[in-house]
Amino acid sequence: MVHPEPVPMYLRAAFCLVLLLMLVSAVAAPLPNQSPDRTEGTVNCASSTCHGSITPLEGSDVLQNEYTTWLRLDRHTQAYAVLLNERSRSIAHKLGLKTPAHTTQLCLDCHSHAPPPSRRGKRHVLTEGVGCEGCHGPAEKWLAGHAEEGASHARNLSQGLYPTERPAAQARLCLSCHFGDDSRFVSHRLMGAGHPRLSFEVKTFTSLEPAHFRIDADYRKRKGNPEALKVWAVGQAVAVTHLLETLTDPKRGRQGPFPELVLFDCYSCHHPMSEKRWSPRLGVGPGALRLNDSNLLMLRAIVRAVLPGQSASFDAEVHALHLAVATGEAPPGMDYLDLARALTQRIKDLIPALERQHYGPEVMRRVLVALVEESRQSSFTDYAGAEQAYMAITSLVNDLVPRSVAVDKAALRGAMSRLLDVLADDEHYQPAVFQAALEDLRGLLHAPAP
Ligand code: HEC
Ligand code: HEC
Ligand code: HEC
Ligand code: HEC
């Protein structure tokens, strides 16, 4: 009888690691508001020897003044307070809420960290707004051990720390409040009552939020290199999946006989009839409702720059969805919902490739060229698309310019501020002026012609 060779120890260990990695990547971590664990309260993080130091501590992996930065500078500390202001009172009144905004779960879902009461520890308070555990996940299982000798990031993650350092997970977290998901959402009804339009881009907003972490050699060793363009690209893909999943969700996709209106370009309805602003766009004819495709346009540019082999078929799928939404035309046996579901799956399959990609200066240039090309196809005729393009271009220019010596910085500032000027008035946005400024910018950066 032949005995099988025993599998060497190192291979078995490696195989276990593969299994573990597959598990970690296959099962998306629950968002902080949906975690089964108990939230312990920001006060637990605030001691000066933990995260409440006044200045960054030398010789520590992390800054340890995260709480101080958050408390003094981060707008998330105000998220609850805005529920007490006049605008919130008016929103609550117009919606006919039975309780004031600051005690209504609908509002607290995003303006605080408000898990179900059974999962709130004694020291957790709602009034602090979006605190540490609202992003890093309830600390029940990792609080005691995460600063011990022998603690590791992997162990913290297995104990419920949310993986904020992974681009797709971070995007899902931010977008769950800054766009909404199946657990919280700002519908057109809320906007009609006066809630501001939500406009978001992960990379830009991460830079806007005063950073309580420092990306240095030690950070990269522990968590990898968070390339700015990767955070942007993955963020766009995740944003599109949020939009399409809302469109196809029978609970949220409709409002009476109409689809949920926040999924469409606001200004396709909200402008005076005397302003004849229609122009040909992505094959959608006049008088039709246009999907808010601002993130889809970014994603088209990303696919063209990063995965050129997939670009033609991706564009075709996007185009088919647009047509189906605007006119009802779809391939036999399908409707716009089938097309939206297929596109969602395709984008989910793309995300790992976007996460693996290295985004060096050459890729940055290609993305910039692809964005200019989008504008030549008159894609940025809607304000929201132009706004997304501007946020992308700002990040690209900030990252590219230090590397390209030859650029005329004064002229570049001029072109950037012209772009911004066009966006100052969302209700009277002029696409042609935006495109002209974009062409100037491309010339300045010597991007090769597409
Ligand atoms: C899906 C998440 C979500 C829900 C639900 C939500 N909001 Fe908001 N709200 C936000 C975000 C995100 C912002 C910040 C927008 C920005 O600045 O980009 C905001 C902004 C606001 C503002 C403007 C804040 C300011 O600084 O001027 C008010 C007022 C407001 N919300 C009130 C409410 C009220 C009242 C409710 C409940 C009826 C509510 N919100 C429900 C996410 C949400
Ligand atoms: C709006 C979401 C948000 C809130 C609120 C928030 N963080 Fe963070 N935090 C992040 C993100 C994003 C990162 C960067 C990605 C990463 O390293 O995980 C980060 C990174 C960190 C890091 C890791 C730094 C490193 O070098 O590894 C620590 C420590 C931290 N935060 C502590 C805190 C504490 C303490 C609070 C509360 C006072 C807090 N955070 C509140 C989103 C948030
Ligand atoms: C639990 C919900 C929630 C999560 C998660 C969240 N935010 Fe926010 N965020 C808000 C709310 C609500 C506001 C508005 C606060 C206000 O108006 O004072 C806000 C405001 C902001 C602002 C200030 C915007 C402005 O107009 O000045 C930035 C920047 C921001 N968030 C970035 C992020 C980033 C980046 C992430 C993900 C790492 C994130 N947020 C995750 C709810 C959230
Ligand atoms: C399909 C058309 C359509 C789209 C798309 C649409 N809206 Fe509306 N909106 C309406 C209608 C209809 C009303 C109700 C007007 C009324 O009561 O006079 C309304 C009302 C509003 C109001 C209240 C205006 C008032 O006079 O009180 C706001 C604010 C608003 N919408 C914002 C938005 C935002 C922001 C978006 C995009 C995210 C958007 N709308 C997308 C059709 C639309």
Side-chain angles (χ1 to χ4, degrees):
M1 188 177 152
V2 182
H3 287 284
E5 284 286 312
V7 180
M9 195 55 206
Y10 66 92
L11 279 184
R12 259 189 287 170
F15 183 65
C16 289
L17 198 68
V18 167
L19 282 183
L20 193 72
L21 283 176
M22 280 166 59
L23 262 178
V24 168
S25 54
V27 184
L31 286 168
N33 66 328
Q34 292 172 324
S35 158
D37 299 342
R38 191 174 59 238
T39 294
E40 303 293 1
T42 297
V43 62
N44 292 293
C45 323
S47 137
S48 63
T49 54
C50 299
H51 297 289
S53 170
I54 301 299
T55 51
L57 291 189
E58 294 309 324
S60 163
D61 279 355
V62 304
L63 297 172
Q64 295 199 229
N65 68 339
E66 296 85 359
Y67 175 78
T68 315
T69 304
W70 172 80
L71 188 67
R72 289 191 181 161
L73 303 172
D74 200 313
R75 278 287 293 276
H76 291 110
T77 55
Q78 300 307 306
Y80 175 88
V82 305
L83 296 180
L84 296 159
N85 71 18
E86 188 44 46
R87 188 171 185 176
S88 287
R89 269 202 293 277
S90 161
I91 295 173
H93 176 73
K94 288 184 178 167
L95 288 174
L97 298 181
K98 294 198 177 61
T99 48
H102 66 280
T103 57
T104 301
Q105 187 67 30
L106 170 69
C107 310
L108 288 169
D109 273 338
C110 297
H111 285 265
S112 182
H113 170 56
S118 62
R119 294 183 209 148
R120 295 181 198 163
K122 283 198 201 63
R123 303 175 83 193
H124 175 55
V125 284
L126 297 176
T127 52
E128 66 194 14
V130 183
C132 317
E133 290 166 280
C135 286
H136 292 292
E140 176 183 354
K141 301 211 174 85
W142 54 265
L143 180 61
H146 81 291
E148 270 174 8
E149 192 78 27
S152 69
H153 189 56
R155 189 179 84 182
N156 297 336
L157 292 176
S158 74
Q159 293 174 336
L161 184 79
Y162 187 80
T164 37
E165 79 285 1
R166 292 189 199 147
Q170 192 201 336
R172 202 159 68 84
L173 169 70
C174 308
L175 285 160
S176 72
C177 289
H178 284 271
F179 174 80
D181 63 8
D182 56 1
S183 72
R184 39 191 173 188
F185 191 62
V186 178
S187 62
H188 186 257
R189 212 168 69 84
L190 258 72
M191 292 194 181
H195 196 282
R197 181 176 74 89
L198 295 183
S199 143
F200 190 74
E201 191 273 287
V202 185
K203 166 66 190 66
T204 304
F205 275 63
T206 303
S207 313
L208 281 177
E209 193 188 348
H212 55 266
F213 51 90
R214 191 192 290 150
I215 313 265
D216 51 15
D218 157 71
Y219 182 100
R220 291 194 184 92
K221 205 167 93 206
R222 287 181 290 115
K223 292 178 165 173
N225 188 16
E227 293 178 311
L229 200 60
K230 181 183 292 185
V231 174
W232 171 72
V234 172
Q236 293 297 333
V238 176
V240 177
T241 62
H242 274 63
L243 179 97
L244 296 180
E245 280 177 345
T246 312
L247 184 71
T248 52
D249 177 349
K251 288 199 310 298
R252 292 178 299 152
R254 303 201 74 77
Q255 189 184 0
F258 298 105
E260 169 54 61
L261 301 184
V262 288
L263 304 177
F264 298 86
D265 172 36
C266 312
Y267 307 100
S268 59
C269 296
H270 289 284
H271 72 86
M273 276 187 264
S274 57
E275 247 177 64
K276 301 284 184 282
R277 55 163 82 177
W278 183 82
S279 63
R281 184 178 186 284
L282 300 176
V284 176
L289 201 52
R290 292 185 305 273
L291 203 58
N292 175 355
D293 62 357
S294 52
N295 302 114
L296 261 175
L297 295 177
M298 298 301 106
L299 195 55
R300 283 201 339 169
I302 293 162
V303 172
R304 196 170 309 145
V306 174
L307 305 163
Q310 300 208 28
S311 175
S313 65
F314 187 76
D315 285 3
E317 270 192 56
V318 172
H319 184 238
L321 177 67
H322 266 295
L323 263 191
V325 169
T327 66
E329 265 173 55
M334 295 181 91
D335 63 7
Y336 76 95
L337 292 171
D338 300 317
L339 294 173
R341 281 191 206 99
L343 188 56
T344 310
Q345 193 51 51
R346 174 152 189 191
I347 294 168
K348 286 188 170 168
D349 295 342
L350 277 180
I351 290 174
L354 294 178
E355 282 193 307
R356 276 194 307 274
Q357 172 74 36
H358 165 56
Y359 297 79
E362 187 40 41
V363 175
M364 291 191 200
R365 263 180 214 285
R366 284 211 299 271
V367 171
L368 200 60
V369 172
L371 287 172
V372 177
E373 202 178 318
E374 278 294 343
S375 101
R376 287 181 180 159
Q377 295 179 16
S378 23
S379 299
F380 301 138
T381 48
D382 290 345
Y383 181 81
E387 187 183 52
Q388 281 294 334
Y390 177 78
M391 291 194 268
I393 289 162
T394 315
S395 298
L396 281 166
V397 166
N398 283 342
D399 260 32
L400 256 184
V401 168
R403 308 184 202 213
S404 32
V405 244
V407 71
D408 175 346
K409 300 225 164 70
L412 188 64
R413 266 199 303 278
M416 290 304 294
S417 77
R418 272 204 303 290
L419 279 180
L420 188 59
D421 286 347
V422 196
L423 296 177
D425 182 359
D426 56 348
E427 295 187 358
H428 302 99
Y429 162 66
Q430 292 176 294
V433 186
F434 187 79
Q435 195 198 326
L438 207 51
E439 294 285 351
D440 289 351
L441 188 82
R442 193 186 69 89
L444 283 170
L445 291 171
H446 310 294

